[in-house]
């Protein structure tokens, strides 16, 4: 048995039209493949919320600001399909480049505000690439629900914003970050870490949690964040792109944890960029 797979918009829409006639609720889980347990948790959430689940696999060149990163991105469709099969996913949509971006493709979806700063400051064009492909995937699948991981927290905000601003009738479901037993957030890029880097990697999550504890009583973040950046470097990371305290609800910068907040980080471990975030809920807030 293999998972039903379509590669064209026409074939996808034919199947979705049949489901619609039956009155079924449809969820989509957009991915770039190289699936790990974090993706599978999104799929499980989708299966709980909808009658039919489409997983998409498309390595989207428009969101890579670094061509080496794009070339090195793992492409493992066969293994991915084998992981999805036992979960009961109903359809795999894996379009090729010409189907997604035909000749003379000229449209970009650019989301202001939440795309700026954080990863947006270090990866020019990244969120426009994400927003463009996600908008296309929403329109191609016509899904009622889409599941995204909180690990890519800024991306989650970008996707929510574009769905609202463009009146796309889709519910965005946020799913918690899945971690290795030692705390490292799962990511398709973790497979690039050397054995020594893999031992160092979880220190980022450790420092994030310890920093969150220090910020929770409402301490001004400046000094605490400076110390935390130094701790990340001392742990073996070679560069901290950013470590910031932001509002959980709208990503605006915070000067204290006076509402639900996120501590968000991006740092380089050798040649691998690692991102992570933790939620901080001040007493009385969830
Ligand atoms: O999170 C990802 O894997 C990608 O950014 C997404 C949402 C599938 C768009 O290419």
């Amino acid at each position: 048995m293999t998972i039903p797979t379509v590669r064209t918009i026409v074939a996808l829409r034919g199947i979705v039209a049949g489901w619609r006639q039956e009155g079924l609720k449809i969820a989509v889980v957009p991915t770039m493949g190289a699936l790990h347990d974090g993706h599978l948790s999104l799929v499980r959430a989708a299966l709980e919320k909808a009658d039919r689940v489409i997983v998409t696999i498309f390595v989207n060149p428009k969101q890579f600001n670094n061509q080496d990163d794009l070339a090195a991105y793992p492409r493992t469709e066969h293994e991915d399909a084998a992981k999805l099969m036992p979960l009961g996913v109903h359809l795999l949509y894996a379009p090729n480049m010409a189907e997604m971006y035909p000749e003379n493709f000229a449209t970009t979806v650019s989301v202001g505000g939440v795309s700026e700063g954080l990863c947006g400051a270090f990866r020019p064009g990244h969120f426009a690439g994400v927003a463009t492909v996600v908008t296309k995937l929403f329109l191609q699948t016509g899904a009622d629900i889409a599941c995204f991981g909180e690990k890519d927290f800024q991306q989650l905000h970008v996707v929510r914003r574009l769905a609202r601003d463009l009146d796309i009738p889709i519910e965005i479901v946020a799913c918690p970050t899945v971690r290795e037993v030692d705390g490292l957030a799962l990511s398709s890029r973790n497979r690039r870490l050397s054995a020594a880097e893999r031992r160092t990697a979880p220190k980022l999550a450790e420092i994030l949690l310890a920093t969150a504890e220090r910020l929770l009583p409402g301490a001004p973040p400046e000094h605490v964040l400076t110390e935390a950046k130094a701790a990340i470097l001392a742990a073996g990371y070679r560069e901290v792109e950013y470590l910031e305290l932001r509002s959980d609800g709208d990503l605006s910068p915070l000067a204290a944890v006076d509402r639900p907040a996120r501590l968000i980080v991006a740092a380089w471990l050798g040649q691998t960029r690692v991102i992570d975030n933790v939620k901080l809920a001040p007493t009385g807030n969830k």
Side-chain angles (χ1 to χ4, degrees):
M1 281 272 284
T2 53
I3 189 162
T5 303
V6 289
R7 300 188 188 277
T8 65
I9 300 163
V10 169
L12 171 68
R13 289 209 169 122
I15 291 172
V16 168
W19 291 344
R20 286 276 170 233
Q21 272 183 351
E22 293 177 63
L24 300 174
K25 197 172 216 186
I26 301 167
V28 64
V29 180
T31 82
M32 297 204 296
L35 302 182
H36 50 63
D37 284 349
H39 295 111
L40 302 188
S41 77
L42 305 181
V43 171
R44 287 193 194 93
L47 284 162
E48 267 175 30
K49 289 184 172 288
D51 306 304
R52 293 290 179 271
V53 171
I54 306 169
V55 172
T56 73
I57 297 183
F58 179 68
V59 181
N60 174 33
K62 290 192 185 293
Q63 70 186 77
F64 286 80
N65 54 309
N66 174 328
Q67 288 314 299
D68 294 340
D69 191 24
L70 173 60
Y73 204 85
R75 286 150 174 91
T76 56
E77 188 184 311
H78 194 67
E79 291 91 322
D80 293 341
K83 286 179 186 168
L84 294 172
M85 191 66 207
L87 299 187
V89 165
H90 302 90
L91 188 65
L92 181 59
Y93 173 49
N96 66 21
M97 204 60 70
E99 187 70 5
M100 190 60 85
Y101 298 121
E103 214 177 316
N104 297 330
F105 183 87
T107 300
T108 299
V109 178
S110 163
V111 180
V114 289
S115 290
E116 289 152 21
L118 304 172
C119 289
F122 291 89
R123 302 188 66 190
H126 169 67
F127 285 120
V130 170
T132 303
V133 81
V134 166
T135 302
K136 284 174 71 73
L137 290 168
F138 286 176
L139 297 175
Q140 290 169 358
T141 59
D144 304 294
I145 296 170
C147 296
F148 288 87
E150 289 187 345
K151 151 110 184 334
D152 297 299
F153 197 67
Q154 191 174 12
Q155 168 172 284
L156 177 63
H157 275 272
V158 169
V159 168
R160 278 192 182 133
R161 185 77 266 158
L162 79 84
R164 261 179 235 159
D165 288 356
L166 300 178
D167 307 311
I168 302 176
I170 192 162
E171 181 195 347
I172 309 299
V173 173
C175 301
T177 302
V178 178
R179 296 179 182 279
E180 302 279 6
V181 281
D182 59 13
L184 176 65
L186 296 194
S187 163
S188 305
R189 290 186 175 87
N190 288 352
R191 60 178 83 187
R192 295 185 196 164
L193 298 170
S194 68
E197 288 167 349
R198 178 60 191 82
R199 284 192 293 278
T200 302
K203 294 191 177 142
L204 188 68
E206 248 173 61
I207 294 166
L208 265 192
L209 285 171
T211 308
E213 289 285 305
R214 290 185 67 195
L215 289 171
L216 261 179
E222 206 174 313
H223 179 63
V224 177
L225 294 184
T226 304
E227 284 193 355
K229 281 183 197 165
I232 293 167
L233 296 175
Y237 278 76
R238 77 170 161 81
E239 185 191 337
V240 181
E241 278 189 353
Y242 62 80
L243 172 65
E244 291 193 30
L245 184 67
R246 296 286 184 119
S247 155
D248 191 67
D250 64 9
L251 266 197
S252 56
L254 291 185
V257 187
D258 52 6
R259 69 198 83 168
R262 286 272 163 175
L263 190 56
I264 310 184
V265 70
W268 285 90
L269 184 52
Q271 295 310 306
T272 307
R273 190 170 179 272
V274 183
I275 62 169
D276 202 349
N277 67 83
V278 291
K279 183 167 182 174
L280 293 84
T283 324
N285 280 289
K286 284 256 158 73

